[in-house]
């Protein structure tokens, strides 16, 4: 049996559907549906049972009976959230309690980390010297990664942390301002006939900031690969290994629609100091672990996503 936390979220719901496609329906879906609109992500998911996250963690030892693997995708992913107590309770304490229970009961644990832990670095390698979080969300993720590293010193079941870079694709509509730039630009173009990008930052010209954009299907595939290759533990970047500019993304969106212009806007107050102007995953560790599948190119990925969105 498999547990998926954050099962109604963007990555979690796609992961459940990926498990379904692989023939697995023995799934316990765990989430917090205070935002009831997320139910839409569960409609096409086939699972054994649903549990509220507070109910699940309150009796986690009992809930893991018969469970072989936990995919821990649940988190607060709002990079603008500065309530440190809330962020650490949601992203660190909850994760630590779940990992401790998995270690005690010999349950494999694959969880969502984040490329945000690298902050403004220009090097994205899974080593402490490259990790310099610039916001509370990133710090909460790094704090748990550090805990994982300490707990992996001795014999343990599989524990794999996946540092997602900029994920885009179906199922993210509930994320609002935290949805991918592809989603945001598509919405802006439909509403206003133009798309907005930030003015230059970090030595990059207007809209030329670069990110490693990865399609949700690739993220799901990496998760399932770790499930099927459970001898691999550690912390791994999950990105394409190639950065593209926001201007590239905007042009792909406007070209798909056959209309629209780009307007450059100022950063909202307080955002710029914590803004990553460049990310590009070093996927050497992932490849060395044995994952060989090519990643979806941006042109194809955005094209199929826009087909779905529109």
């Amino acid at each position: 049996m498999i547990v998926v936390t954050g099962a109604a979220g963007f990555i979690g719901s796609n992961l459940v559907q990926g498990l379904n496609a692989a023939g697995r329906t023995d799934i316990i879906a765990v989430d917090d549906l205070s935002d009831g609109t997320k139910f839409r992500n569960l409609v096409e998911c086939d699972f054994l049972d649903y549990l509220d996250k507070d109910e699940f963690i309150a009796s986690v030892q009992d809930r893991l009976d018969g469970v072989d693997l936990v995919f821990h995708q649940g988190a607060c992913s709002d990079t603008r959230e500065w309530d440190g107590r809330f962020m650490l309770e949601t992203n660190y304490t909850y994760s630590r309690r779940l990992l401790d229970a998995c270690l005690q009961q010999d349950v494999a644990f694959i969880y969502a980390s984040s490329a945000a832990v690298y902050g403004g670095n220009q090097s994205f390698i899974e080593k402490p010297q490259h990790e310099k979080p610039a916001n509370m969300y990133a710090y909460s993720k790094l704090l748990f990664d550090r805990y994982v590293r300490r707990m992996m010193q001795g014999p343990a079941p599989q524990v794999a942390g996946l540092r997602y870079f900029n994920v885009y694709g179906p199922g993210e509509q509930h994320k609002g301002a935290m949805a991918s730039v592809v989603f945001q630009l598509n919405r802006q173009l439909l509403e206003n006939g133009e798309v907005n990008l930030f003015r230059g930052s970090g030595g990059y010209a207007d809209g030329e900031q670069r990110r490693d954009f990865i399609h949700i299907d690739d993220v799901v595939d990496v998760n399932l690969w770790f499930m099927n290759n459970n001898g691999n533990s550690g912390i791994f970047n999950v990105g394409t290994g190639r950065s593209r500019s926001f201007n590239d993304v905007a042009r792909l969106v406007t070209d798909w629609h056959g209309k629209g212009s780009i307007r450059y806007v100022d950063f909202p107050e307080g955002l710029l100091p914590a803004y990553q102007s460049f990310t590009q995953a070093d996927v050497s560790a992932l490849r060395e672990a044995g994952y060989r599948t090519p990643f979806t190119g941006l042109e194809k990925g955005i094209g199929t996503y826009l087909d779905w969105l529109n």
Side-chain angles (χ1 to χ4, degrees), residues 134-156:
N135 56 47
M136 196 63 223
Y137 164 72
Y139 179 68
S140 72
K141 288 294 187 178
L142 179 58
L143 195 63
F144 185 63
D145 283 350
R146 288 174 173 171
Y147 185 76
V148 167
R149 284 170 172 154
R150 290 195 298 273
M151 299 305 291
M152 289 171 60
Q153 297 300 314

Side-chain angles (χ1 to χ4, degrees), residues 10 14 17 40-41 44 169-173 183 186 215 256 301-310:
F10 172 33
N14 278 279
Q17 291 182 54
R40 297 184 180 92
N41 281 349
E44 296 183 15
E172 60 171 327
Q173 58 278 357
F183 180 88
N186 181 74
H215 193 277
W256 188 94
I302 287 182
T304 58
Y305 185 28
L306 291 174
D307 290 343
W308 183 88
L309 274 176
N310 294 284

Side-chain angles (χ1 to χ4, degrees), residues 1-3 28 63-70 105-108:
M1 191 156 55
I2 297 171
V3 169
I28 306 299
R63 299 295 183 183
L64 292 181
D65 285 347
V67 172
D68 303 308
L69 169 64
V70 170
Q105 298 189 218
D106 201 33
V107 175

Side-chain angles (χ1 to χ4, degrees), residues 10-22:
F10 172 33
I11 294 173
S13 60
N14 278 279
L15 182 53
V16 173
Q17 291 182 54
L19 288 165
N20 292 164

Side-chain angles (χ1 to χ4, degrees), residues 5-307:
T5 72
F10 172 33
I11 294 173
S13 60
N14 278 279
L15 182 53
V16 173
Q17 291 182 54
L19 288 165
N20 292 164
R24 299 295 297 266
T25 59
D26 56 334
I27 302 164
I28 306 299
V30 177
D31 211 317
D32 173 0
L33 281 176
S34 296
D35 176 4
T37 63
K38 294 196 297 183
F39 89 91
R40 297 184 180 92
N41 281 349
L42 292 175
V43 171
E44 296 183 15
C45 295
D46 190 359
F47 49 86
L48 187 64
D49 198 5
Y50 171 86
L51 291 173
D52 180 82
K53 81 177 189 75
D54 290 341
E55 178 187 6
F56 171 69
I57 202 66
S59 55
V60 65
Q61 297 286 356
D62 294 334
R63 299 295 183 183
L64 292 181
D65 285 347
V67 172
D68 303 308
L69 169 64
V70 170
F71 284 108
H72 181 39
Q73 307 298 308
C76 173
S77 59
D78 190 343
T79 58
R80 305 165 306 172
E81 178 59 69
W82 287 100
D83 184 337
R85 191 174 188 182
F86 167 76
M87 189 66 81
L88 290 182
E89 172 62 30
T90 304
N91 290 0
Y92 176 69
T93 305
Y94 181 93
S95 301
R96 178 173 50 78
R97 289 181 62 190
L98 181 51
L99 174 62
D100 288 347
C102 287
L103 294 175
Q104 290 171 20
Q105 298 189 218
D106 201 33
V107 175
F109 186 80
I110 300 172
Y111 72 96
S113 183
S114 171
V117 302
Y118 296 113
N121 277 330
Q122 298 295 299
S123 181
F124 301 86
I125 302 170
E126 305 94 328
K127 300 292 183 184
Q129 61 266 35
H130 304 295
E131 299 161 355
K132 294 178 176 153
N135 56 47
M136 196 63 223
Y137 164 72
Y139 179 68
S140 72
K141 288 294 187 178
L142 179 58
L143 195 63
F144 185 63
D145 283 350
R146 288 174 173 171
Y147 185 76
V148 167
R149 284 170 172 154
R150 290 195 298 273
M151 299 305 291
M152 289 171 60
Q153 297 300 314
Q158 179 190 33
V159 179
L162 306 183
R163 286 184 173 169
Y164 303 142
F165 279 66
N166 283 70
V167 188
Y168 65 96
E172 60 171 327
Q173 58 278 357
H174 66 281
K175 292 172 66 69
M178 292 297 105
S180 74
V181 66
V182 184
F183 180 88
Q184 305 288 359
L185 298 184
N186 181 74
R187 178 184 54 79
Q188 291 169 10
L189 193 148
L190 292 175
E191 291 177 357
N192 306 314
E194 64 180 10
V195 298
N196 296 333
L197 297 179
F198 289 135
R199 300 193 190 279
S201 63
Y204 293 88
D206 294 350
E208 284 299 304
Q209 301 94 331
R210 303 179 68 87
R211 294 281 181 89
D212 190 330
F213 300 98
I214 182 167
H215 193 277
I216 184 61
D217 289 351
D218 294 328
V219 168
V220 169
D221 193 66
V222 171
N223 274 274
L224 297 182
W225 184 86
F226 274 95
M227 177 182 73
N228 294 322
N229 294 269
N230 59 13
N232 290 285
S233 291
I235 296 173
F236 302 88
N237 289 332
V238 179
T240 66
R242 183 185 180 194
S243 68
R244 298 288 297 272
S245 73
F246 285 94
N247 280 326
D248 287 341
V249 175
R251 292 185 193 106
L252 288 170
V253 172
T254 56
D255 287 351
W256 188 94
H257 283 277
K259 62 179 181 180
S261 57
I262 301 174
R263 183 165 69 101
Y264 299 103
V265 300
D266 294 332
F267 279 85
E269 185 176 355
L271 177 61
L272 187 56
Y275 187 77
Q276 288 178 297
S277 296
F278 173 78
T279 67
Q280 181 170 285
D282 184 318
V283 293
S284 301
L286 183 64
R287 295 306 193 195
E288 289 169 7
Y291 185 79
R292 300 283 182 245
T293 307
F295 293 107
T296 305
L298 192 66
E299 286 76 10
K300 179 181 178 181
I302 287 182
T304 58
Y305 185 28
L306 291 174
D307 290 343

